[in-house]
Amino acid sequence: MSDFVDRVTVHVKGGDGGNGSAGIKREKYKPLAGPNGGNGGDGGSVVFVAASNANSLLDYRFMPHRAAGSGTMGLGDTKDGSKGDDLILPVPLGTVIFTAKGSQGGPKRPGEQLADLRHEGDRFVAAAGGMGGLGNAALANRTRRAPGFALLGEPGEERDVVLELKSIADVALVGFPSSGKSSLVGAMSSAKPKIADYPFTTLVPNLGVVMASEYRYTIADVPGLIPGASQGKGLGLEFLRHIERTEIIAHVIDCATLEPDRDPISDYRALEHELAQYADQLELPLGAIAIPDRPRVIILNKVDVPEAKELADFVRPEFERLGLRVFAVSTASHEGLKELGFALGEMVVELRAKIAEQERQEEQARVVIKPLEEPARRRRRRDEERGSAYDYEIEREEGRGGEFWFTVTGAKPERWVRQTNFDNDEAVGYLADRLAKLGVEDALRKKGAHPGDTIRIGRGNYAVEFDWDPTIAAGAEMLDGAQLGARGKDLRLEEGETRARRRTNEERRREYHEMMDAKTAVREVMREERRAGHWADPAVDDDRHDEHGLLGRDEDGE
């Protein structure tokens, strides 16, 4: 069984952000001394990194589910949670990452290209970690000085991606099945490919490293091509992609074939036709040389056979008239392999310099604008404060039964919903404040929404549905339903502020006089009531029926 895998589907998930803390600082004589809940830690991200020591995607076939670490929850005393660890996944050079298209549970196929990891150290964040929720200390402001809630951490990004390996080799050996490509790789390098006397022996590309004096380069044996390979016949497109990153294309032609209607010239033209058809379907990376413009080399193989030697000598002038370099070799006797190795080494060095210069010119022609570095949390809060009506969309949708609802979609509303703890009324009110500030409530009214209508924010697994109540408030409420404070205003500290604040002398004198005047007024009212007979003087015992009274006792008090 082959251990070479060049296309896999991987399910990646970024770590979830930790929840913020809603802690309250408590001191002696100050049971509510202010919020001190810390922020939750950010979740880790899943990152693919191109590494030269990776040569296959086999690990991802056996372990296709990869997840990064989650952040921890914030703590009291404004202690932030720890960040989740990033998951670094090494992939071979030449790995291209695509979105996965296909039905759930079914086979996936490559969709939109996301990244092309061609050089050592190239990185791509496939699944970003969720941001940690803000604690109530970070949510406190001038009007909301003691939030009784914190924001929840955001879930990490989760999706399927397709990894496709396009071998990065200096020389690609192409040819019909059983033309001797694998034998040539084994003869020129230390590779040990499978070799047999039947067609399509090579089911996976074979890579080998060639050392020729000061030259060092890699060669790739692309599995046998047949007419129609560019349309998927035979192994077709499964392995044609492995020549996309090669610098030199070497045609290995079997001069000892006994198949009718085949000769070196027709084989060469048939293969070139397939390469031209495939080249039209490619979108080459920056600085890459188009397949038709890459150098060609003709390798006439199996010249150890007398008839093959005669045929090679006969067709050599015709290939040379096409401007092609021709080498007659034999993997059995090693004839011509030394000259071929040195010639390919010289061509590789020249082409590497040409490609490097072309990439440098392309990079200089590009205009790259990098934003100023800014902490992620500060940037997030700034973006939220600058929210506009263009950050979301509202659609009125109807079901089959005639029911209807309004769907709100947008980065900010959907993120705010994921951060809200719906078990906390104050947190729900804070969400309403944010949506109102963003203009969602006004936009809903313009769309024809009325209080009590069904509103959905977001789509998919994280969508939230509720009945619209535009009067919901974030502040505490009295038992009878009358609102005690404005939206977003928590009065737990407001009640204790009067006791905690030190009064001025003028306030003390005013409060003292008010208290004395109140006592005098109460005494006067009591005297008037006594004169009117509304109540008796407790010092006078005039109740004869009271056995404990003066009239119910004898002279001795018994």
Side-chain angles (χ1 to χ4, degrees):
M1 180 177 178
S2 173
D3 60 354
F4 184 88
V5 176
D6 61 350
R7 178 183 287 176
V8 292
T9 300
V10 183
H11 180 83
V12 292
K13 183 184 185 307
D16 298 334
N19 298 335
S21 172
I24 295 295
K25 186 177 181 180
R26 302 180 186 278
E27 298 178 353
K28 189 175 182 180
Y29 306 118
K30 293 182 180 180
L32 298 175
N36 70 344
N39 303 327
D42 297 337
S45 301
V46 179
V47 184
F48 288 103
V49 180
S52 57
N53 58 350
N55 52 25
S56 176
L57 302 175
L58 183 64
D59 293 343
Y60 303 105
R61 170 164 292 181
F62 294 115
M63 298 181 61
H65 293 264
R66 303 298 180 102
S70 298
T72 61
M73 181 179 179
L75 302 175
D77 201 17
T78 61
K79 293 180 180 179
D80 295 339
S82 60
K83 183 182 183 299
D85 295 331
D86 292 338
L87 181 62
I88 306 298
L89 300 177
V91 293
L93 304 184
T95 300
V96 184
I97 303 176
F98 300 89
T99 59
K101 298 178 62 177
S103 60
Q104 185 175 4
K108 304 293 184 180
R109 62 183 186 277
E112 178 186 358
Q113 179 174 322
L114 300 175
D116 186 356
L117 308 181
R118 295 190 299 151
H119 305 99
E120 177 77 20
D122 286 351
R123 299 167 60 91
F124 173 71
V125 179
M131 299 194 69
L134 297 178
N136 61 350
L139 295 173
N141 52 34
R142 187 176 301 177
T143 59
R144 184 185 295 104
R145 286 183 283 181
F149 67 97
L151 298 185
L152 303 180
E154 299 178 38
E157 187 178 4
E158 185 175 7
R159 62 177 172 177
D160 291 333
V161 294
V162 175
L163 306 183
E164 186 175 279
L165 175 59
K166 299 181 179 180
S167 302
I168 295 183
D170 299 307
V171 181
L173 304 180
V174 299
F176 277 74
S178 299
S179 61
K181 300 183 297 300
S182 298
S183 301
L184 187 60
V185 172
M188 297 182 66
S189 67
S190 299
K192 304 296 181 183
K194 179 182 178 181
I195 300 173
D197 58 355
Y198 53 84
F200 294 107
T201 304
T202 304
L203 298 179
V204 297
N206 295 309
L207 298 178
V209 179
V210 180
M211 301 290 295
S213 184
E214 72 273 15
Y215 303 119
R216 183 179 186 275
Y217 55 92
T218 57
I219 56 177
D221 163 22
V222 179
L225 303 180
I226 62 175
S230 59
Q231 281 75 42
K233 292 184 179 180
L235 297 179
L237 299 176
E238 289 298 317
F239 298 108
L240 263 175
R241 60 175 173 270
H242 288 281
I243 70 170
E244 293 182 15
R245 307 300 173 83
T246 56
E247 300 168 353
I248 300 172
I249 297 178
H251 288 272
V252 181
I253 298 177
D254 182 5
C255 293
T257 180
L258 299 179
E259 297 182 22
D261 300 328
R262 278 190 57 187
D263 61 81
I265 298 298
S266 62
D267 285 359
Y268 166 75
R269 290 175 177 170
L271 293 177
E272 281 295 325
H273 175 74
E274 296 302 322
L275 294 178
Q277 293 290 325
Y278 184 67
D280 294 338
Q281 307 173 24
L282 296 180
E283 294 182 3
L284 296 176
L286 179 67
I289 299 176
I291 289 181
D293 298 332
R294 296 177 190 177
R296 277 3 182 224
V297 173
I298 302 298
I299 302 176
L300 302 177
N301 195 15
K302 303 182 182 180
V303 295
D304 56 297
V305 180
E307 292 80 3
K309 177 68 172 176
E310 294 177 3
L311 181 60
D313 294 337
F314 178 77
V315 298
R316 177 190 290 266
E318 189 167 350
F319 281 117
E320 291 177 346
R321 282 195 294 269
L322 296 176
L324 301 172
R325 299 183 64 175
V326 183
F327 298 90
V329 301
S330 171
T331 57
S333 63
H334 286 211
E335 178 184 350
L337 294 184
K338 185 175 182 180
E339 294 79 3
L340 175 62
F342 279 100
L344 291 177
E346 293 176 359
M347 296 176 65
V348 167
V349 171
E350 295 176 0
L351 201 58
R352 284 176 180 172
K354 179 180 178 181
I355 292 176
E357 177 63 22
Q358 186 169 332
E359 289 182 351
R360 187 184 63 82
Q361 293 178 358
E362 292 286 349
E363 289 289 349
Q364 290 179 350
R366 297 175 63 192
V367 178
V368 180
I369 301 176
K370 295 183 178 181
L372 297 176
E373 291 296 330
E374 188 175 6
R377 291 190 179 278
R378 187 184 304 169
R379 181 170 60 254
R380 182 178 68 172
R381 297 192 68 178
R382 179 205 63 193
D383 293 342
E384 292 175 359
E385 293 172 357
R386 295 180 180 178
S388 63
Y390 301 103
D391 294 328
Y392 60 87
E393 294 182 356
I394 299 178
E395 298 180 6
R396 188 181 187 276
E397 301 180 358
E398 294 187 8
R400 295 181 178 179
E403 70 278 7
F404 67 92
W405 63 89
F406 295 87
T407 302
V408 181
T409 56
K412 291 181 181 179
E414 292 180 30
R415 183 172 70 244
W416 294 345
V417 164
R418 294 193 296 266
Q419 294 174 335
T420 301
N421 178 12
F422 286 92
D423 294 332
N424 187 305
D425 293 338
E426 190 178 353
V428 175
Y430 178 66
L431 172 64
D433 289 342
R434 303 173 90 178
L435 295 176
K437 183 177 180 181
L438 191 61
V440 173
E441 290 190 352
D442 293 339
L444 285 171
R445 291 188 181 94
K446 293 180 181 179
K447 286 284 186 177
H450 298 87
D453 289 345
T454 301
I455 306 297
R456 292 181 182 176
I457 298 183
R459 300 182 186 275
N461 297 332
Y462 298 107
V464 174
E465 179 178 310
F466 54 90
D467 294 334
W468 186 38
D469 182 4
T471 62
I472 191 170
E477 296 183 353
M478 297 182 67
L479 295 179
D480 60 357
Q483 189 170 335
L484 188 59
R487 274 189 176 187
K489 187 175 183 181
D490 191 309
L491 300 184
R492 290 178 298 168
L493 293 189
E494 301 290 336
E495 297 176 355
E497 277 192 350
T498 304
R499 297 189 299 270
R501 188 174 58 84
R502 187 172 182 177
R503 296 171 296 173
T504 63
N505 291 335
E506 183 178 355
E507 290 175 340
R508 291 173 183 272
R509 286 193 295 268
R510 183 176 64 253
E511 292 176 3
Y512 174 77
H513 290 302
E514 290 176 354
M515 180 183 65
M516 298 304 295
D517 293 342
K519 287 183 177 180
T520 303
V522 169
R523 292 192 185 98
E524 185 62 30
V525 171
M526 293 175 65
R527 292 192 190 99
E528 293 295 332
E529 291 180 351
R530 188 183 304 127
R531 295 190 192 102
H534 293 166
W535 59 280
D537 189 345
V540 179
D541 189 357
D542 54 0
D543 189 353
R544 297 178 178 274
H545 302 285
D546 186 4
E547 61 181 2
H548 300 288
L550 296 179
L551 296 179
R553 301 175 185 175
D554 54 18
E555 296 178 356
D556 297 332
E558 297 182 355

